[in-house]
Amino acid sequence: MARIVHALHNSASGLRTAWRTESAFRQEGMLTLVMLPLAFWLGHGGVERALLAGTVLLIPVVELLNTAVEYTVDRVSLERHELSKTAKDMGSAAVLLTLVLAFVVWCTILLSHF
C-alpha cells in the first residue's frame, strides 16, 4: 500500500509541475476539461464514448511524455546537438499525431451522426 501511495504522490507532483511550467499542457488540460464531458454526451454507446474520451485523454498523456523527453535532453546537456534536436522534434511529432488522431476520430464519429 505504501508503494501505491508513493506512486500517487509522484504522479500528482508530475501533474502539478507540468501544469505550472508547460503552457501546452495547460491548454490541452483545458481542452480535456471541455471535451471529456462532450465525449460522454455526444457518443452513442460505449464504444463511441470510449473512442472520443480515449483520444482526448491521450493528448495530455503524450504531452507529458514529450515534456519528459525535453527535460531529460536538457538535463543531459544544454549544448546544441543534432540528436537532442531530433529527440525533441520526435516528441513534438508524437503530440501532433495524437492531435490528428483525436481530430480524425471525433470527425468520423460526429459526421456519422448527421
Side-chain angles (χ1 to χ4, degrees), residues 30-110:
M30 297 306 287
L31 179 71
T32 299
L33 289 175
V34 171
M35 300 297 283
L36 202 53
L38 283 175
F40 290 96
W41 184 59
L42 296 173
H44 294 170
V47 173
E48 283 190 6
R49 289 182 180 124
L51 285 168
L52 294 171
T55 57
V56 167
L57 288 171
L58 193 58
I59 295 168
V61 168
V62 175
E63 184 64 49
L64 285 168
L65 293 171
N66 177 46
T67 300
V69 167
E70 290 179 353
Y71 277 39
T72 301
V73 167
D74 289 347
R75 170 65 175 94
V76 171
S77 174
L78 293 175
E79 165 189 328
R80 291 193 179 270
H81 191 281
E82 189 59 32
L83 290 176
S84 297
K85 179 185 180 327
T86 300
K88 289 183 173 191
D89 289 350
M90 287 180 173
S92 180
V95 174
L96 175 63
L97 290 177
T98 306
L99 290 165
V100 169
L101 172 66
F103 180 78
V104 168
V105 168
W106 276 73
C107 286
T108 302
I109 289 174
L110 294 180

Side-chain angles (χ1 to χ4, degrees), residues 8-34:
L8 287 173
H9 175 73
N10 290 341
S11 297
S13 177
L15 288 169
R16 278 191 306 273
T17 300
W19 187 265
R20 262 194 341 267
T21 63
E22 298 297 319
S23 61
F25 184 76
R26 285 191 301 276
Q27 291 168 349
E28 292 157 356
M30 297 306 287
L31 179 71
T32 299
L33 289 175
V34 171

